[in-house]
Short mmCIF file of all heavy atoms in Angstrom, two decimals:
data_model
loop_
_atom_site.label_atom_id
_atom_site.label_comp_id
_atom_site.label_asym_id
_atom_site.label_seq_id
_atom_site.Cartn_x
_atom_site.Cartn_y
_atom_site.Cartn_z
N MET K 611 34.07 184.05 70.82
CA MET K 611 33.14 183.05 70.33
C MET K 611 33.73 182.47 69.05
O MET K 611 34.04 183.20 68.13
CB MET K 611 31.79 183.73 70.09
CG MET K 611 30.71 182.79 69.68
SD MET K 611 29.10 183.61 69.73
CE MET K 611 28.73 183.42 71.45
N SER K 612 33.88 181.18 68.97
CA SER K 612 34.58 180.57 67.87
C SER K 612 33.69 180.31 66.65
O SER K 612 34.17 180.37 65.52
CB SER K 612 35.23 179.27 68.33
OG SER K 612 34.24 178.38 68.81
N GLU K 613 32.42 180.01 66.84
CA GLU K 613 31.55 179.74 65.71
C GLU K 613 31.08 181.03 65.06
O GLU K 613 30.90 182.04 65.71
CB GLU K 613 30.36 178.90 66.15
CG GLU K 613 29.43 179.62 67.09
CD GLU K 613 28.28 178.78 67.57
OE1 GLU K 613 27.25 178.77 66.88
OE2 GLU K 613 28.43 178.14 68.62
N GLU K 614 30.87 180.97 63.73
CA GLU K 614 30.35 182.14 63.03
C GLU K 614 28.84 182.14 63.12
O GLU K 614 28.19 181.14 62.84
CB GLU K 614 30.81 182.13 61.58
CG GLU K 614 32.27 182.48 61.43
CD GLU K 614 32.64 182.70 59.97
OE1 GLU K 614 31.74 182.84 59.12
OE2 GLU K 614 33.83 182.74 59.71
N LEU K 615 28.28 183.25 63.51
CA LEU K 615 26.83 183.39 63.63
C LEU K 615 26.30 184.17 62.44
O LEU K 615 26.89 185.17 62.03
CB LEU K 615 26.48 184.09 64.94
CG LEU K 615 26.96 183.36 66.21
CD1 LEU K 615 26.68 184.19 67.44
CD2 LEU K 615 26.30 182.00 66.32
N GLN K 616 25.18 183.75 61.90
CA GLN K 616 24.61 184.33 60.69
C GLN K 616 23.58 185.41 61.01
O GLN K 616 22.82 185.30 61.97
CB GLN K 616 23.94 183.20 59.91
CG GLN K 616 23.47 183.59 58.55
CD GLN K 616 22.98 182.36 57.80
OE1 GLN K 616 23.66 181.36 57.74
NE2 GLN K 616 21.78 182.44 57.26
N CYS K 617 23.57 186.44 60.20
CA CYS K 617 22.62 187.54 60.31
C CYS K 617 21.18 187.02 60.28
O CYS K 617 20.86 186.08 59.54
CB CYS K 617 22.85 188.52 59.17
SG CYS K 617 21.75 189.96 59.17
N SER K 618 20.30 187.63 61.07
CA SER K 618 18.89 187.24 61.15
C SER K 618 18.02 187.85 60.06
O SER K 618 16.85 187.47 59.94
CB SER K 618 18.32 187.64 62.51
OG SER K 618 18.97 186.98 63.56
N ALA K 619 18.55 188.79 59.29
CA ALA K 619 17.74 189.42 58.23
C ALA K 619 17.35 188.38 57.18
O ALA K 619 18.15 187.51 56.83
CB ALA K 619 18.52 190.55 57.57
N LYS K 620 16.12 188.45 56.73
CA LYS K 620 15.59 187.49 55.77
C LYS K 620 16.48 187.39 54.54
O LYS K 620 16.79 188.40 53.90
CB LYS K 620 14.17 187.89 55.36
CG LYS K 620 13.51 186.89 54.46
CD LYS K 620 12.08 187.27 54.17
CE LYS K 620 11.45 186.23 53.27
NZ LYS K 620 10.05 186.56 53.02
N GLY K 621 16.91 186.18 54.24
CA GLY K 621 17.71 185.93 53.05
C GLY K 621 19.19 186.26 53.18
O GLY K 621 19.96 185.98 52.26
N CYS K 622 19.62 186.83 54.28
CA CYS K 622 21.02 187.21 54.45
C CYS K 622 21.83 186.01 54.94
O CYS K 622 21.40 185.28 55.83
CB CYS K 622 21.15 188.37 55.43
SG CYS K 622 22.86 188.99 55.57
N ARG K 623 23.02 185.85 54.40
CA ARG K 623 23.92 184.76 54.79
C ARG K 623 25.24 185.31 55.36
O ARG K 623 26.17 184.56 55.58
CB ARG K 623 24.22 183.85 53.60
CG ARG K 623 23.00 183.22 52.97
CD ARG K 623 22.47 182.11 53.85
NE ARG K 623 21.31 181.48 53.23
CZ ARG K 623 20.12 181.44 53.80
NH1 ARG K 623 19.91 181.97 54.97
NH2 ARG K 623 19.12 180.85 53.19
N GLU K 624 25.27 186.61 55.60
CA GLU K 624 26.50 187.24 56.11
C GLU K 624 26.73 186.89 57.58
O GLU K 624 25.80 186.57 58.32
CB GLU K 624 26.41 188.76 55.96
CG GLU K 624 26.36 189.24 54.53
CD GLU K 624 27.63 188.95 53.77
OE1 GLU K 624 28.74 189.13 54.32
OE2 GLU K 624 27.52 188.52 52.60
N THR K 625 27.97 186.99 57.99
CA THR K 625 28.33 186.76 59.39
C THR K 625 27.87 187.94 60.23
O THR K 625 28.08 189.10 59.87
CB THR K 625 29.86 186.59 59.53
OG1 THR K 625 30.26 185.46 58.75
CG2 THR K 625 30.25 186.36 60.97
N ALA K 626 27.21 187.66 61.34
CA ALA K 626 26.72 188.70 62.24
C ALA K 626 27.87 189.33 63.01
O ALA K 626 28.81 188.65 63.40
CB ALA K 626 25.70 188.12 63.20
N SER K 627 27.76 190.64 63.24
CA SER K 627 28.77 191.35 64.03
C SER K 627 28.18 191.91 65.32
O SER K 627 28.92 192.23 66.24
CB SER K 627 29.36 192.50 63.20
OG SER K 627 28.34 193.40 62.80
N ARG K 628 26.84 192.02 65.37
CA ARG K 628 26.16 192.58 66.55
C ARG K 628 24.95 191.72 66.91
O ARG K 628 24.37 191.06 66.05
CB ARG K 628 25.67 194.01 66.28
CG ARG K 628 26.70 195.01 65.85
CD ARG K 628 27.64 195.43 66.93
NE ARG K 628 26.99 196.20 67.98
CZ ARG K 628 27.58 196.56 69.10
NH1 ARG K 628 28.84 196.21 69.32
NH2 ARG K 628 26.96 197.27 70.01
N ALA K 629 24.58 191.77 68.16
CA ALA K 629 23.35 191.13 68.65
C ALA K 629 22.41 192.24 69.09
O ALA K 629 22.78 193.10 69.89
CB ALA K 629 23.66 190.21 69.81
N ILE K 630 21.21 192.24 68.53
CA ILE K 630 20.21 193.24 68.87
C ILE K 630 19.28 192.61 69.91
O ILE K 630 18.69 191.56 69.69
CB ILE K 630 19.40 193.65 67.63
CG1 ILE K 630 20.34 194.19 66.55
CG2 ILE K 630 18.35 194.69 68.00
CD1 ILE K 630 19.68 194.40 65.21
N LEU K 631 19.19 193.27 71.05
CA LEU K 631 18.35 192.78 72.14
C LEU K 631 17.00 193.50 72.09
O LEU K 631 16.95 194.72 71.93
CB LEU K 631 19.03 193.05 73.48
CG LEU K 631 20.45 192.48 73.60
CD1 LEU K 631 21.07 192.91 74.92
CD2 LEU K 631 20.44 190.98 73.47
N TRP K 632 15.94 192.72 72.20
CA TRP K 632 14.60 193.30 72.11
C TRP K 632 13.63 192.54 72.98
O TRP K 632 13.93 191.46 73.48
CB TRP K 632 14.13 193.35 70.66
CG TRP K 632 13.97 192.02 70.00
CD1 TRP K 632 14.96 191.25 69.43
CD2 TRP K 632 12.76 191.28 69.82
NE1 TRP K 632 14.45 190.10 68.92
CE2 TRP K 632 13.08 190.08 69.15
CE3 TRP K 632 11.44 191.50 70.18
CZ2 TRP K 632 12.14 189.12 68.81
CZ3 TRP K 632 10.49 190.55 69.85
CH2 TRP K 632 10.84 189.39 69.17
N ASN K 633 12.45 193.15 73.15
CA ASN K 633 11.41 192.57 73.98
C ASN K 633 10.07 193.12 73.52
O ASN K 633 9.91 194.32 73.37
CB ASN K 633 11.67 192.97 75.45
CG ASN K 633 10.60 192.49 76.40
OD1 ASN K 633 9.43 192.82 76.26
ND2 ASN K 633 11.01 191.75 77.40
N ASN K 634 9.11 192.23 73.31
CA ASN K 634 7.74 192.63 73.00
C ASN K 634 6.98 192.59 74.32
O ASN K 634 6.65 191.52 74.82
CB ASN K 634 7.10 191.68 71.99
CG ASN K 634 5.68 192.06 71.65
OD1 ASN K 634 5.03 192.80 72.38
ND2 ASN K 634 5.19 191.54 70.54
N PRO K 635 6.68 193.74 74.91
CA PRO K 635 6.06 193.77 76.24
C PRO K 635 4.67 193.14 76.30
O PRO K 635 4.22 192.77 77.38
CB PRO K 635 6.02 195.25 76.59
CG PRO K 635 6.17 195.97 75.31
CD PRO K 635 6.93 195.08 74.38
N ARG K 636 4.02 192.98 75.17
CA ARG K 636 2.71 192.32 75.16
C ARG K 636 2.85 190.80 75.26
O ARG K 636 1.89 190.12 75.62
CB ARG K 636 1.91 192.69 73.92
CG ARG K 636 1.51 194.16 73.94
CD ARG K 636 0.54 194.50 72.84
NE ARG K 636 1.14 194.19 71.54
CZ ARG K 636 0.49 194.23 70.40
NH1 ARG K 636 -0.78 194.57 70.39
NH2 ARG K 636 1.08 193.95 69.27
N LEU K 637 4.03 190.27 74.94
CA LEU K 637 4.25 188.83 74.95
C LEU K 637 5.24 188.35 76.00
O LEU K 637 5.18 187.21 76.44
CB LEU K 637 4.74 188.35 73.58
CG LEU K 637 3.84 188.63 72.39
CD1 LEU K 637 4.53 188.18 71.11
CD2 LEU K 637 2.50 187.93 72.55
N HIS K 638 6.19 189.21 76.36
CA HIS K 638 7.30 188.81 77.22
C HIS K 638 7.31 189.58 78.53
O HIS K 638 6.91 190.73 78.59
CB HIS K 638 8.64 189.05 76.50
CG HIS K 638 8.71 188.44 75.15
ND1 HIS K 638 8.94 189.19 74.01
CD2 HIS K 638 8.57 187.16 74.73
CE1 HIS K 638 8.95 188.40 72.95
NE2 HIS K 638 8.72 187.16 73.36
N THR K 639 7.83 188.93 79.56
CA THR K 639 8.03 189.63 80.83
C THR K 639 9.12 190.69 80.64
O THR K 639 9.95 190.56 79.74
CB THR K 639 8.44 188.64 81.94
OG1 THR K 639 9.65 187.99 81.55
CG2 THR K 639 7.35 187.61 82.19
N PRO K 640 9.15 191.73 81.46
CA PRO K 640 10.10 192.83 81.28
C PRO K 640 11.58 192.39 81.28
O PRO K 640 12.40 192.99 80.59
CB PRO K 640 9.83 193.76 82.46
CG PRO K 640 8.43 193.47 82.84
CD PRO K 640 8.21 192.00 82.55
N GLU K 641 11.91 191.35 82.02
CA GLU K 641 13.32 190.93 82.09
C GLU K 641 13.74 190.04 80.91
O GLU K 641 14.93 189.81 80.71
CB GLU K 641 13.61 190.22 83.41
CG GLU K 641 12.85 188.94 83.65
CD GLU K 641 11.45 189.15 84.21
OE1 GLU K 641 11.05 190.27 84.54
OE2 GLU K 641 10.73 188.14 84.28
N ARG K 642 12.79 189.59 80.11
CA ARG K 642 13.11 188.72 78.97
C ARG K 642 13.78 189.50 77.88
O ARG K 642 13.36 190.60 77.51
CB ARG K 642 11.81 188.10 78.44
CG ARG K 642 11.96 187.26 77.19
CD ARG K 642 12.08 185.81 77.54
NE ARG K 642 12.38 184.98 76.40
CZ ARG K 642 11.51 184.22 75.75
NH1 ARG K 642 10.26 184.18 76.14
NH2 ARG K 642 11.90 183.49 74.73
N LYS K 643 14.89 188.95 77.34
CA LYS K 643 15.61 189.59 76.24
C LYS K 643 15.67 188.61 75.07
O LYS K 643 16.25 187.55 75.18
CB LYS K 643 17.03 189.95 76.66
CG LYS K 643 17.12 191.02 77.70
CD LYS K 643 18.59 191.29 78.03
CE LYS K 643 18.72 192.13 79.27
NZ LYS K 643 18.59 191.32 80.49
N LYS K 644 15.03 188.98 73.98
CA LYS K 644 15.12 188.21 72.75
C LYS K 644 16.30 188.75 71.96
O LYS K 644 16.72 189.89 72.16
CB LYS K 644 13.83 188.35 71.94
CG LYS K 644 12.58 187.87 72.66
CD LYS K 644 12.55 186.37 72.81
CE LYS K 644 12.30 185.74 71.46
NZ LYS K 644 12.35 184.29 71.45
N THR K 645 16.83 187.96 71.02
CA THR K 645 18.02 188.35 70.28
C THR K 645 17.84 188.14 68.79
O THR K 645 17.38 187.08 68.37
CB THR K 645 19.24 187.52 70.74
OG1 THR K 645 19.38 187.64 72.15
CG2 THR K 645 20.51 187.99 70.08
N TRP K 646 18.19 189.16 68.02
CA TRP K 646 18.38 189.02 66.59
C TRP K 646 19.85 189.32 66.34
O TRP K 646 20.44 190.20 66.98
CB TRP K 646 17.56 190.04 65.81
CG TRP K 646 16.12 189.70 65.63
CD1 TRP K 646 15.48 188.55 65.99
CD2 TRP K 646 15.14 190.54 65.04
NE1 TRP K 646 14.16 188.62 65.66
CE2 TRP K 646 13.92 189.84 65.07
CE3 TRP K 646 15.16 191.80 64.50
CZ2 TRP K 646 12.74 190.36 64.56
CZ3 TRP K 646 14.00 192.34 64.00
CH2 TRP K 646 12.80 191.62 64.02
N LEU K 647 20.43 188.60 65.39
CA LEU K 647 21.82 188.84 65.01
C LEU K 647 21.84 189.68 63.75
O LEU K 647 20.98 189.53 62.89
CB LEU K 647 22.53 187.51 64.78
CG LEU K 647 22.51 186.55 65.97
CD1 LEU K 647 23.18 185.23 65.60
CD2 LEU K 647 23.17 187.17 67.19
N ALA K 648 22.82 190.58 63.64
CA ALA K 648 22.87 191.47 62.49
C ALA K 648 24.28 191.61 61.94
O ALA K 648 25.25 191.75 62.69
CB ALA K 648 22.36 192.85 62.87
N CYS K 649 24.37 191.57 60.61
CA CYS K 649 25.63 191.91 59.94
C CYS K 649 25.70 193.44 59.87
O CYS K 649 24.73 194.13 60.17
CB CYS K 649 25.67 191.29 58.54
SG CYS K 649 24.46 191.97 57.37
N ASP K 650 26.84 193.97 59.47
CA ASP K 650 26.99 195.42 59.39
C ASP K 650 25.97 196.05 58.43
O ASP K 650 25.47 197.14 58.68
CB ASP K 650 28.40 195.79 58.94
CG ASP K 650 29.45 195.44 59.99
OD1 ASP K 650 29.09 195.31 61.19
OD2 ASP K 650 30.63 195.28 59.62
N GLY K 651 25.63 195.35 57.35
CA GLY K 651 24.71 195.89 56.35
C GLY K 651 23.26 195.95 56.80
O GLY K 651 22.48 196.73 56.26
N HIS K 652 22.87 195.12 57.75
CA HIS K 652 21.47 195.09 58.19
C HIS K 652 21.25 195.64 59.61
O HIS K 652 20.11 195.70 60.06
CB HIS K 652 20.93 193.64 58.13
CG HIS K 652 20.69 193.17 56.74
ND1 HIS K 652 21.46 192.19 56.14
CD2 HIS K 652 19.77 193.57 55.82
CE1 HIS K 652 21.02 192.00 54.91
NE2 HIS K 652 19.99 192.82 54.69
N LEU K 653 22.30 196.03 60.28
CA LEU K 653 22.18 196.48 61.66
C LEU K 653 21.19 197.64 61.81
O LEU K 653 20.25 197.57 62.61
CB LEU K 653 23.54 196.88 62.23
CG LEU K 653 23.55 197.39 63.67
CD1 LEU K 653 23.03 196.32 64.62
CD2 LEU K 653 24.97 197.81 64.05
N ASP K 654 21.34 198.69 61.04
CA ASP K 654 20.45 199.86 61.15
C ASP K 654 19.01 199.49 60.80
O ASP K 654 18.07 199.91 61.49
CB ASP K 654 20.93 201.00 60.26
CG ASP K 654 22.20 201.65 60.77
OD1 ASP K 654 22.50 201.52 61.97
OD2 ASP K 654 22.90 202.29 59.96
N HIS K 655 18.81 198.70 59.76
CA HIS K 655 17.45 198.31 59.36
C HIS K 655 16.76 197.52 60.47
O HIS K 655 15.60 197.81 60.81
CB HIS K 655 17.52 197.48 58.08
CG HIS K 655 16.21 196.85 57.72
ND1 HIS K 655 15.15 197.55 57.22
CD2 HIS K 655 15.79 195.56 57.82
CE1 HIS K 655 14.13 196.73 57.03
NE2 HIS K 655 14.49 195.52 57.39
N LEU K 656 17.43 196.54 61.04
CA LEU K 656 16.82 195.72 62.09
C LEU K 656 16.58 196.53 63.36
O LEU K 656 15.53 196.40 64.00
CB LEU K 656 17.67 194.49 62.38
CG LEU K 656 17.76 193.47 61.23
CD1 LEU K 656 18.77 192.37 61.56
CD2 LEU K 656 16.40 192.88 60.91
N ARG K 657 17.53 197.39 63.72
CA ARG K 657 17.33 198.27 64.90
C ARG K 657 16.14 199.19 64.68
O ARG K 657 15.31 199.36 65.58
CB ARG K 657 18.59 199.11 65.16
CG ARG K 657 19.60 198.43 66.03
CD ARG K 657 20.62 199.42 66.56
NE ARG K 657 21.26 200.18 65.51
CZ ARG K 657 22.53 200.51 65.49
NH1 ARG K 657 23.33 200.16 66.47
NH2 ARG K 657 23.04 201.20 64.51
N ASP K 658 16.05 199.80 63.51
CA ASP K 658 14.95 200.72 63.20
C ASP K 658 13.60 200.00 63.24
O ASP K 658 12.62 200.54 63.75
CB ASP K 658 15.14 201.38 61.83
CG ASP K 658 16.31 202.36 61.81
OD1 ASP K 658 16.82 202.73 62.89
OD2 ASP K 658 16.71 202.75 60.68
N PHE K 659 13.54 198.78 62.70
CA PHE K 659 12.32 197.99 62.71
C PHE K 659 11.83 197.77 64.14
O PHE K 659 10.65 197.96 64.45
CB PHE K 659 12.58 196.65 62.02
CG PHE K 659 11.40 195.72 62.00
CD1 PHE K 659 10.49 195.77 60.96
CD2 PHE K 659 11.21 194.79 63.01
CE1 PHE K 659 9.38 194.91 60.94
CE2 PHE K 659 10.12 193.92 62.99
CZ PHE K 659 9.21 193.99 61.95
N LEU K 660 12.74 197.39 65.03
CA LEU K 660 12.37 197.14 66.43
C LEU K 660 12.08 198.43 67.18
O LEU K 660 11.15 198.49 68.00
CB LEU K 660 13.46 196.34 67.12
CG LEU K 660 13.62 194.91 66.61
CD1 LEU K 660 14.92 194.29 67.13
CD2 LEU K 660 12.43 194.06 66.98
N ALA K 661 12.84 199.47 66.93
CA ALA K 661 12.64 200.75 67.62
C ALA K 661 11.28 201.36 67.25
O ALA K 661 10.59 201.91 68.12
CB ALA K 661 13.76 201.73 67.26
N LEU K 662 10.87 201.23 66.01
CA LEU K 662 9.58 201.75 65.56
C LEU K 662 8.42 201.13 66.35
O LEU K 662 7.41 201.77 66.60
CB LEU K 662 9.41 201.47 64.06
CG LEU K 662 8.15 202.00 63.40
CD1 LEU K 662 8.13 203.52 63.43
CD2 LEU K 662 8.08 201.51 61.96
N ARG K 663 8.61 199.89 66.77
CA ARG K 663 7.57 199.17 67.52
C ARG K 663 7.78 199.25 69.04
O ARG K 663 7.09 198.60 69.80
CB ARG K 663 7.57 197.71 67.07
CG ARG K 663 7.03 197.58 65.66
CD ARG K 663 7.55 196.35 64.94
NE ARG K 663 6.99 196.27 63.60
CZ ARG K 663 7.45 196.96 62.55
NH1 ARG K 663 8.47 197.78 62.69
NH2 ARG K 663 6.89 196.84 61.37
N ASP K 664 8.78 200.02 69.47
CA ASP K 664 9.14 200.14 70.88
C ASP K 664 9.57 198.81 71.50
O ASP K 664 9.33 198.54 72.67
CB ASP K 664 8.01 200.75 71.72
CG ASP K 664 7.78 202.21 71.39
OD1 ASP K 664 8.77 202.91 71.10
OD2 ASP K 664 6.62 202.64 71.41
N PHE K 665 10.21 197.96 70.69
CA PHE K 665 10.70 196.66 71.16
C PHE K 665 12.20 196.70 71.45
O PHE K 665 12.72 195.82 72.13
CB PHE K 665 10.47 195.56 70.12
CG PHE K 665 9.04 195.21 69.84
CD1 PHE K 665 8.73 194.33 68.82
CD2 PHE K 665 7.98 195.72 70.59
CE1 PHE K 665 7.41 193.97 68.55
CE2 PHE K 665 6.66 195.38 70.32
CZ PHE K 665 6.39 194.50 69.29
N LEU K 666 12.92 197.67 70.90
CA LEU K 666 14.37 197.70 70.99
C LEU K 666 14.85 197.97 72.41
O LEU K 666 14.41 198.91 73.06
CB LEU K 666 14.93 198.78 70.06
CG LEU K 666 16.45 198.91 70.00
CD1 LEU K 666 17.09 197.67 69.41
CD2 LEU K 666 16.83 200.14 69.18
N ILE K 667 15.76 197.12 72.88
CA ILE K 667 16.44 197.34 74.15
C ILE K 667 17.82 197.95 73.88
O ILE K 667 18.22 198.90 74.52
CB ILE K 667 16.59 196.02 74.94
CG1 ILE K 667 15.22 195.48 75.32
CG2 ILE K 667 17.47 196.23 76.17
CD1 ILE K 667 15.26 194.10 75.93
N GLY K 668 18.52 197.42 72.89
CA GLY K 668 19.84 197.91 72.53
C GLY K 668 20.58 196.86 71.72
O GLY K 668 20.01 195.84 71.33
N ASP K 669 21.85 197.10 71.45
CA ASP K 669 22.64 196.09 70.76
C ASP K 669 24.01 195.99 71.40
O ASP K 669 24.49 196.93 72.03
CB ASP K 669 22.72 196.37 69.26
CG ASP K 669 23.42 197.66 68.92
OD1 ASP K 669 22.74 198.71 68.88
OD2 ASP K 669 24.64 197.63 68.71
N VAL K 670 24.59 194.80 71.26
CA VAL K 670 25.89 194.50 71.86
C VAL K 670 26.72 193.73 70.84
O VAL K 670 26.21 193.18 69.88
CB VAL K 670 25.74 193.67 73.16
CG1 VAL K 670 24.99 194.44 74.23
CG2 VAL K 670 25.08 192.33 72.89
N SER K 671 28.01 193.67 71.11
CA SER K 671 28.91 192.85 70.30
C SER K 671 28.50 191.39 70.43
O SER K 671 27.94 190.97 71.44
CB SER K 671 30.33 193.04 70.83
OG SER K 671 31.18 192.03 70.32
N ILE K 672 28.77 190.62 69.40
CA ILE K 672 28.49 189.18 69.43
C ILE K 672 29.12 188.53 70.66
O ILE K 672 28.54 187.64 71.27
CB ILE K 672 29.02 188.52 68.14
CG1 ILE K 672 28.18 188.95 66.93
CG2 ILE K 672 29.06 187.00 68.26
CD1 ILE K 672 26.75 188.49 66.96
N ASP K 673 30.30 188.99 71.04
CA ASP K 673 31.00 188.43 72.20
C ASP K 673 30.37 188.80 73.53
O ASP K 673 30.70 188.21 74.55
CB ASP K 673 32.47 188.85 72.20
CG ASP K 673 33.22 188.28 71.01
OD1 ASP K 673 32.88 187.16 70.57
OD2 ASP K 673 34.15 188.95 70.52
N ASP K 674 29.46 189.77 73.53
CA ASP K 674 28.85 190.26 74.77
C ASP K 674 27.37 189.92 74.90
O ASP K 674 26.66 190.54 75.69
CB ASP K 674 29.04 191.78 74.87
CG ASP K 674 30.49 192.18 74.99
OD1 ASP K 674 31.26 191.40 75.60
OD2 ASP K 674 30.86 193.25 74.48
N ILE K 675 26.88 188.93 74.15
CA ILE K 675 25.47 188.53 74.26
C ILE K 675 25.24 188.02 75.67
O ILE K 675 25.95 187.13 76.15
CB ILE K 675 25.12 187.44 73.24
CG1 ILE K 675 25.32 187.96 71.81
CG2 ILE K 675 23.69 186.96 73.44
CD1 ILE K 675 25.14 186.89 70.75
N PRO K 676 24.25 188.58 76.37
CA PRO K 676 23.96 188.10 77.72
C PRO K 676 23.57 186.61 77.72
O PRO K 676 22.89 186.15 76.79
CB PRO K 676 22.77 188.95 78.16
CG PRO K 676 22.77 190.14 77.26
CD PRO K 676 23.37 189.68 75.97
N GLU K 677 23.99 185.90 78.72
CA GLU K 677 23.70 184.47 78.78
C GLU K 677 22.20 184.19 78.88
O GLU K 677 21.73 183.14 78.46
CB GLU K 677 24.43 183.83 79.96
CG GLU K 677 25.92 183.72 79.71
CD GLU K 677 26.63 182.88 80.75
OE1 GLU K 677 25.98 181.99 81.35
OE2 GLU K 677 27.82 183.10 80.96
N ASP K 678 21.44 185.15 79.43
CA ASP K 678 20.01 184.93 79.59
C ASP K 678 19.19 185.37 78.37
O ASP K 678 17.96 185.31 78.38
CB ASP K 678 19.49 185.62 80.85
CG ASP K 678 19.63 187.13 80.81
OD1 ASP K 678 20.37 187.66 79.95
OD2 ASP K 678 19.01 187.80 81.64
N ALA K 679 19.86 185.84 77.32
CA ALA K 679 19.16 186.28 76.10
C ALA K 679 18.79 185.07 75.26
O ALA K 679 19.55 184.11 75.16
CB ALA K 679 20.04 187.25 75.31
N GLY K 680 17.63 185.13 74.65
CA GLY K 680 17.16 184.00 73.84
C GLY K 680 16.81 184.41 72.45
O GLY K 680 16.83 185.49 72.03
#
């Protein structure tokens, strides 16, 4: 992927290294995958936030973001 993608953490301007896939089952169908981008410094915080709410599906490299993820 040639463009630099920015971390989704509030106020962060760092380049993202991972894509966190998540789904809120009360709002989304089971096959829907939402995406947050994370830099190395915010990866654990964002994963923990989603896991605590049972929204976390997993995370992948920026180059491996599924085409159907939004």
Side-chain angles (χ1 to χ4, degrees):
M611 184 169 277
S612 59
E613 66 182 272
E614 286 190 13
L615 300 175
Q616 188 173 310
C617 180
S618 297
K620 185 176 180 178
C622 185
R623 301 285 181 239
E624 295 295 318
T625 300
S627 59
R628 303 288 292 173
I630 303 170
L631 305 175
W632 63 278
N633 177 301
N634 180 341
R636 292 189 301 172
L637 301 176
H638 307 121
T639 60
E641 63 277 354
R642 175 96 187 258
K643 293 180 193 81
K644 300 289 289 175
T645 305
W646 280 354
L647 303 177
C649 67
D650 292 338
H652 287 111
L653 180 60
D654 289 339
H655 171 73
L656 293 173
R657 273 195 306 219
D658 291 347
F659 178 89
L660 292 167
L662 183 64
R663 290 154 180 81
D664 292 324
F665 293 174
L666 182 65
I667 296 172
D669 63 273
V670 297
S671 165
I672 290 295
D673 295 328
D674 296 327
I675 298 174
E677 287 190 27
D678 64 345

